[in-house]
Amino acid sequence: MNILVCLKQTFDTEAKIELKDGKINAQGIKNIINPYDEFAVEEALKLKEANGGEVTTISVGSDQTQEALRQALAMGADKAILVEFPNSDEHATAKALAKAVQGMEFDLILGGHVAIDDNSGQIAIRLAEELDLPQVNVVTKLEINDGKAVCTREIEGGVQIVETPLPTVITCQKGLNEPRYPSLKGIMQAKKKELKRIGLEELGLTVDNKVEILEVFLPPQKEAGKVIEGEAEEAAGELVRLLKEEAKVI
Amino acid sequence: MDFTISEELQALRYNIRGFAEEVIEPKAQEIEENDKIPEEIIEQAKALGLFGMSIPEEYGGTGLNLLERCIILEELGRTQNGFSSLLGAHTGIGSTGIVEMASEDLKQRYLPRMATGELIGAFALTEPNAGSDATNLKTTAELKDGKWVINGLKHFITNGPVADVITVMAITDKSKGARGGITAFAVEKNFPGFSVGTVEKKMGLKGSYTSELVFEDCEVPQENVIGEIGRGYANALKILNKGRITLGARCVGTSNKLVELCTTYAQQRIQFGQPIASFQGIQWMLADMATQTEAARYLTYRTAWAADHGDPVIKESSMVKLFASEVLAKVVDMAVQVHGGMGYMKEFPIERFYRDARITRIYEGTSEIQKIIIANRLLKEFKVDA
């Protein structure tokens, strides 16, 4: 079976985020494959190992995004596609992905359920809509049998088991698998594997962002908690006063 | 001159660092306490292909060059060094002889399984009375009824108790001594007459085992001679030569990790109402640690690169081993100082690095022996006719 994996390059989870001129200062920050997308890569590789076929990873991004694609190739993916379209929003990214995969033969599209940087969680969903494919999100267990995908997904207070015909789009959640470290062979071979770069022009796509970022700011510094002393009645009164006057939440 | 680190090397560093810090480091305390590297770490290292890094591709390894292997050992040097010692001995001195000097038959017999980590390698030169003076070997090999019979005692052999195939140096012609009288053999652990002697209790490098190897009429088939008969000492020097570069890399990795740990700790530790990093006394130590480490790193890289380009690097690899291990000694000493009392406690990894560092100035050739090698080369290069 042929599997497409959509992945995004994000900042390392341990990176210290600083702002410079109203933007995140990327200098000196290590980049990684978005951890949820890494689950998708791992799942694709496991399915390939069990059923044969090919794993193609695809990303919309800049020159630097190649690193993340190469990392997926080192893990064992067969091919990679980079759609050169930096700073695209969710709408434009999904359009670009849909256009790029048009005409490709695949049984499954996998991706993370959300990226840890902007937390928007829209791309795979939009892509499924663009391609008119069924989608199952936030999946923690996946089985493929007889042209069908049986997915276990997290829902409020429980789990839900969903069956869908292939091809389909599935987004991955923590718990699905434990991503592998690339082997030395994988790392050394990654450079020799195909990484195709396509520009928007080549795709024949004209699309504009619909979202404009007005301001980027860091969350306020967390301050020490406050313990309100005194009898219950008195303390409750003080709490209400603080919520009104200091926290201004009521 | 181009100092760019290639994309592959960066990817190698990134992934091995992940393995070192996410897989080994969380188990470091456990390794120290149990003196055992957990099976799951060994298994994962096998899956990554770490055991086969130096073995050519045609024998199932990855055939990485020295610079690539330096990057790996450097990154592994950032964590518990019992594992890097085990792996360094296996991929370095424990297999180099078979890779570079052995017959095709021996290569086929051992290398594919050494590449997967199924067979572990070791190198046995040192004896109780032949340490730095490696020419004073007492272990002998005699040809009897078509077989070599080895008798003697080796000691301080890294991987001794766990090794399956050992490159053993023995005297085959006493009259010739080191000049044509020593031969290298590939000895399997289940050859009759071979046994493991005392397993040493060491100061550090927990999880890596060092022992005596006992040869009592140990029978070795003739085809297990590595290289030419009588060329053992020259071969041993060649094997040790390359091992020195990767050992240097491991020292660089530990030093670099210590610089990072100290710089972080100095900003968090408050004394006299301010982080100790604001004191010049601490800053100077940090600056010295970082500068020395960087110098050791580029000496190591440059020598590995030159070796990969066919340079014999005899003098240079001794410089790497000497300088990088001496730098580590200074850096780890300052690291304890920066951490104060905490640096002496087992709760922090500094104490472990301190113990693990000490041996690097001794094994695979002491600092003093490295200086002798360097000086001898210099005296040859700039020889003045009397």
Side-chain angles (χ1 to χ4, degrees), chain B residues 128-143:
Chain B
N129 293 311
S132 290
D133 178 10
T135 59
N136 192 35
L137 292 186
K138 294 283 178 281
T139 298
T140 57
E142 279 179 85
L143 196 56

Side-chain angles (χ1 to χ4, degrees), chain B residues 226-289:
Chain B
I226 298 175
E228 282 172 50
I229 293 170
R231 293 280 301 159
Y233 188 65
N235 288 342
L237 293 183
K238 268 191 216 160
I239 293 167
L240 288 167
N241 186 37
K242 291 202 170 162
R244 287 175 182 137
I245 307 175
T246 46
L247 183 54
R250 208 180 91 200
C251 295
V252 170
T254 304
S255 298
N256 204 48
K257 177 72 182 178
L258 290 166
V259 171
E260 292 172 22
L261 287 172
C262 288
T263 312
T264 307
Y265 183 77
Q267 293 172 77
Q268 290 162 344
R269 170 71 176 164
I270 309 289
Q271 286 290 275
F272 306 103
Q274 51 193 313
I276 60 170
S278 64
F279 301 125
Q280 219 170 39
I282 299 291
Q283 289 179 6
W284 287 10
M285 282 197 266
L286 296 177
D288 282 341
M289 291 164 78

Side-chain angles (χ1 to χ4, degrees), chain B residues 193-213:
Chain B
F194 171 83
S195 60
V196 174
T198 310
V199 181
E200 304 294 344
K201 292 193 175 73
K202 308 190 300 307
M203 178 196 262
L205 296 184
K206 300 292 180 187
S208 157
Y209 305 127
T210 296
S211 73
E212 291 177 338
L213 299 180

Side-chain angles (χ1 to χ4, degrees), chain A residues 46 61 107 147:
Chain A
K46 282 166 80 175
D107 306 285

Side-chain angles (χ1 to χ4, degrees), chain A residues 119-136:
Chain A
N119 260 316
S120 93
Q122 296 181 28
I123 304 300
I125 296 169
R126 285 173 176 270
L127 178 62
E129 289 299 312
E130 291 286 341
L131 298 173
D132 198 20
L133 288 177
Q135 58 174 297
V136 188

